[in-house]
């Protein structure tokens, strides 16, 4: 399957369907339950990439970049006011699919996409209990919240950035 076909297949499947084909994976001597993140785990499950826990700054910059891209995407869609398309029905409305698509567009090469997706997933899983920002992102990856909740969260994030004149992405330094 091409990466695009893979994303379309993931979007067409329910998390429950995807969970059936997932299990645990031994990473760094610990069992990682891939069923917690069905869509993104299904994407990386059969890749040759070996997940690595990355630095907090790396994961937070990537998360903030993803939020910025998603908010821009959603605002553009809302401004188009295309009444014939239900936003919840589009593949990109599914947050894990959007994340994978974003990584794919940013890195291009399949090996880099696979590695980055795995590193993001594993790092988020490892750091989520100690960092509220990562916990919230993890819950969006797990699809605990729907696209409307995500849009509301990103709207509030945008308002806070404007009111406080800060950039959440830039506060994590220049490491990439």
């Amino acid at each position: 399957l091409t990466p695009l076909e893979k994303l379309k297949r993931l979007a067409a499947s329910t998390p429950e369907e995807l969970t059936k084909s997932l299990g645990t994976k031994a990473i760094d001597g610990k069992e990682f339950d891939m069923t917690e993140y069905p869509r993104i785990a299904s994407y990386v499950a059969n890749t040759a990439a070996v997940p690595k826990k990355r630095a907090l700054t790396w994961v937070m910059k990537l998360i903030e970049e993803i939020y910025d891209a998603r908010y821009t995407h959603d605002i553009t869609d809302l401004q188009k006011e295309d009444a014939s398309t239900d936003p919840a029905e589009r593949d990109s409305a599914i947050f894990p699919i959007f994340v994978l698509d974003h990584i794919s567009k940013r890195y291009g090469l399949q090996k880099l996409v696979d590695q980055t997706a795995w590193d993001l997933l594993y790092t988020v899983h490892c750091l989520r209990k100690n960092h509220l920002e990562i916990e919230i992102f993890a819950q969006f990856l797990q699809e605990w919240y729907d696209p409307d909740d995500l849009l509301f969260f990103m709207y509030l994030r945008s308002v806070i950035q404007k009111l406080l004149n800060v950039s959440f992405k830039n506060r994590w330094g220049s490491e990439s």
Side-chain angles (χ1 to χ4, degrees):
L1 291 174
T2 69
L4 184 58
E5 290 170 336
K6 206 172 175 183
L7 288 178
K8 286 189 179 293
R9 193 188 86 225
L10 288 175
S13 302
T14 66
E16 294 77 20
E17 292 169 336
L18 295 169
T19 300
K20 291 176 187 173
S21 65
L22 296 170
T24 58
K25 181 176 179 81
I27 303 172
D28 294 334
K30 298 176 189 165
E31 289 296 311
F32 175 64
D33 184 3
M34 295 176 63
T35 63
E36 291 184 43
Y37 314 88
R39 287 194 208 273
I40 196 163
S42 292
Y43 184 87
V44 298
N46 297 314
T47 66
V50 177
K52 295 180 216 128
K53 183 177 173 189
R54 303 287 294 262
L56 175 64
T57 53
W58 179 87
V59 75
M60 285 308 304
K61 277 194 79 168
L62 185 53
I63 287 171
E64 297 297 348
E65 178 184 299
I66 290 166
Y67 282 152
D68 288 345
R70 178 59 186 251
Y71 188 62
T72 300
H73 176 268
D74 285 356
I75 293 303
T76 302
D77 278 359
L78 288 172
Q79 290 171 344
K80 287 180 186 172
E81 295 185 40
D82 185 1
S84 64
T85 306
D86 179 7
E89 297 299 318
R90 291 190 318 269
D91 294 347
S92 62
I94 302 168
F95 188 63
I97 301 298
F98 180 86
V99 170
L100 291 167
D101 187 49
H102 176 79
I103 291 170
S104 183
K105 288 175 181 169
R106 180 172 184 219
Y107 293 98
L109 293 173
Q110 194 59 49
K111 279 184 157 186
L112 290 174
V113 172
D114 294 347
Q115 188 64 56
T116 302
W118 244 131
D119 292 353
L120 174 64
L121 177 60
Y122 185 61
T123 304
V124 163
H125 182 75
C126 290
L127 298 178
R128 71 185 289 182
K129 290 188 181 0
N130 298 320
H131 301 279
L132 183 57
E133 311 96 311
I134 297 176
E135 176 63 28
I136 292 167
F137 184 80
Q139 290 176 2
F140 285 126
L141 278 182
Q142 291 175 308
E143 299 179 73
W144 286 13
Y145 300 109
D146 68 19
D148 291 334
D149 296 327
L150 177 61
L151 181 58
F152 181 70
F153 170 79
M154 291 184 307
Y155 169 73
L156 291 177
R157 185 178 163 278
S158 172
V159 168
I160 290 167
Q161 285 186 102
K162 286 177 185 163
L163 285 174
L164 299 179
N165 197 27
V166 297
S167 166
F168 291 138
K169 182 180 173 189
N170 291 342
R171 75 184 180 136
W172 292 103
S174 61
E175 181 184 316
S176 48

